[in-house]
Amino acid sequence: MVAYKSKMVERIRLPSREQRERNLEAAGYNLFNLSSEEVFVDLLTDSGTGAMSDAQWAALIRGDESYAGSRSFEELEEAVADVMGFSNVVPTHQGRGAENVLYGALLSAGDVVPNNTHFDTTRAHISNQDADPVDCPIDVAHDPDAEEPFKGNFSLERARAVVEEHGAERIPVVVQTITNNSAAGQAVSVENTRKVREFADEIDATFVIDACRFAENAYFVSQREEEFADASIADIAREQLGYADALVMSGKKDGLVNAGGFVATDDDALFEQCKQRAILYEGFPTYGGMAGRDVAAMAVGLREAVEDAYLEDRIEQVREFGAQLAAVGVPVYTPTSGHAVYVDAGELFPHLDAEEFPGQVLACELYREGGVRGVELGSFAFPDTDRPELVRLAVPRRTYHREHFDHVVETAEAVLEKRETVSGLQLASDPVMPEIRHFTAELEPVPSSQ
Ligand SMILES: *Cc1c(COP(=O)(O)O)cnc(C)c1O
């Protein structure tokens, strides 16, 4: 059931078809290069793009900008203790700041870090400590059709193989990402979290939860894990997070703010280390790279994120969007995640090879046909992996309404109608850093063979 009405609005415009064609060409067929003014419905990411509540805007005005001992920080400490169950917090400018602070404190060169799937910035921060990030998803994680409830789970079997190969002494940290963002945002069960806790104890490792979408994950647990059928979402979230030794959090996701993040831990020694690193890289530990007002808004956002009405509105909106797309014949990854619908462009364009970037083609066609911006997460973003050719249509929190999604579905139908005539793309520029080429590389249509 819908849980919000609008109190402030932002004008959007659909550019004409000719303008969209011109914009695509000028952007080098890379939608990261578009100006937001050129986009009608922006589903590029759910990160920091949501709408704050009136209570958050009120908190913003009352934010305390004191360098040390800010009252807004105390509000954050209380919110993290109540909502997540951790007593020590180090605010950071966003999630990757938290990763730098925490993994810098925990890792040394040569370490190996298993995770159900490392998110890009997690992978990069672990590599930056000269440690080796290893993905341990379960087998069905990259199967778009398997109808299992917890496809985001951590594979203990794979993690044990990592121990076999490298030895427990080289694995000081085990990470679980909830929900599993890089595996189509799939949910992780509390039972799986308990097993990862046991595994971390067996090898004497620190257990870190990447909690970016902890509230969305708790909603899925309440719907799908029998043991928790009658539990409140707030209780589920506290229970699941409670198995970890430390959390990394991006406030831009389930913190319901536009910027911010933090590390949380009950380990006092680790907390001291994180504070020292925070002073070096972020700021004094009571503001840590955030404005006091943003800290205040995040404290309110964390509490709102575990409200039943918010989560039902949020997750059902995304689920409904996915169901609408599937109903018109768009191949979507199932089950739908909490923050995005993933479309299988490989299935949509079977005539295009991976080298012709079917996912990027779909992303561009959705813009051409309806001014919709999504993001490719297939061969263009992840060269040399055998992942499906997915396009992610991420849903900003509390931002779009049914009419917006109807428009996206109509746009997708228009692409479906011309699917056989669509041709591929090829790289037109050599990016400096191939690992992150999808942010900047330019493309061009493959010249037609006729
Ligand atoms: C977004 C995200 C991060 C990084 O957070 P930023 O706020 O973007 O720096 C880390 N892990 C996961 C799973 C994420 O989704």
Side-chain angles (χ1 to χ4, degrees), residues 272-348:
E272 286 309 316
Q273 278 179 288
C274 288
K275 277 199 286 194
Q276 297 308 316
R277 282 184 64 81
I279 292 170
L280 196 58
Y281 292 106
E282 299 287 326
F284 190 75
T286 60
Y287 70 88
M290 293 177 75
R293 64 183 82 98
D294 291 331
V295 173
M298 187 163 70
V300 176
L302 280 175
R303 294 184 190 277
E304 291 179 354
V306 290
E307 281 174 14
D308 292 350
Y310 158 69
L311 280 165
E312 190 187 319
D313 178 290
R314 161 93 180 136
I315 309 278
E316 293 307 315
Q317 183 180 55
V318 180
R319 194 193 54 74
E320 175 77 11
F321 174 38
Q324 268 184 288
L325 283 170
V328 299
V330 177
V332 298
Y333 185 110
T334 53
T336 311
S337 81
H339 72 286
V341 175
Y342 293 75
V343 178
D344 187 349
E347 196 180 325
L348 195 64

Side-chain angles (χ1 to χ4, degrees), residues 5 8 44 69 97 103 109 128-130 163 203 216 238 244 246 268-269 321 347 371-372 375 379 422-423 450:
K5 61 179 180 177
M8 191 187 286
L44 185 69
Y103 296 127
N128 197 35
Q129 301 301 327
D130 293 320
V163 177
I203 62 168
E216 292 174 4
R238 259 195 312 272
D268 293 334
F321 174 38
E347 196 180 325
V372 175
V375 68
S379 312
V422 168
S423 58
Q450 282 100 12

Side-chain angles (χ1 to χ4, degrees), residues 17 21 28 52 57 131 138 151 178 184 199 204 225 274 335 355 420 435 447:
R17 174 173 285 271
E21 300 273 3
M52 290 206 295
W57 282 103
I138 58 171
K151 289 163 78 172
I178 66 172
F199 169 68
D204 201 20
E225 197 165 355
C274 288
E355 301 83 74
E420 276 138 35
E435 317 84 65

Side-chain angles (χ1 to χ4, degrees), residues 199-215:
F199 169 68
D201 286 339
E202 275 168 40
I203 62 168
D204 201 20
T206 300
F207 177 23
V208 175
I209 290 185
D210 179 333
C212 293
R213 296 182 184 78
F214 76 100

Side-chain angles (χ1 to χ4, degrees), residues 47 94-96 99 119 121-122 177 181 210 212-213 250 252-253 260:
S47 177
Q94 58 185 80
R96 67 201 66 185
E99 292 176 330
F119 179 68
T121 59
T122 317
T177 305
N181 188 6
D210 179 333
C212 293
R213 296 182 184 78
S250 168
K252 304 174 72 149
K253 320 307 178 20

Side-chain angles (χ1 to χ4, degrees), residues 217-269:
N217 199 76
Y219 182 84
F220 287 124
V221 168
S222 78
Q223 301 281 302
R224 299 176 187 173
E225 197 165 355
E226 215 179 308
E227 181 188 337
F228 297 96
D230 299 321
S232 76
I233 288 164
D235 285 345
I236 295 168
R238 259 195 312 272
E239 158 127 19
Q240 189 162 32
L241 299 178
Y243 292 106
D245 298 305
L247 310 178
V248 282
M249 178 70 190
S250 168
K252 304 174 72 149
K253 320 307 178 20
D254 281 352
L256 299 181
V257 287
N258 304 116
F262 56 86
V263 175
T265 181
D266 280 341
D267 178 332
D268 293 334

Side-chain angles (χ1 to χ4, degrees), residues 130-143:
D130 293 320
D132 187 12
V134 181
D135 289 339
C136 299
I138 58 171
D139 288 342
V140 290
H142 296 294
D143 174 353

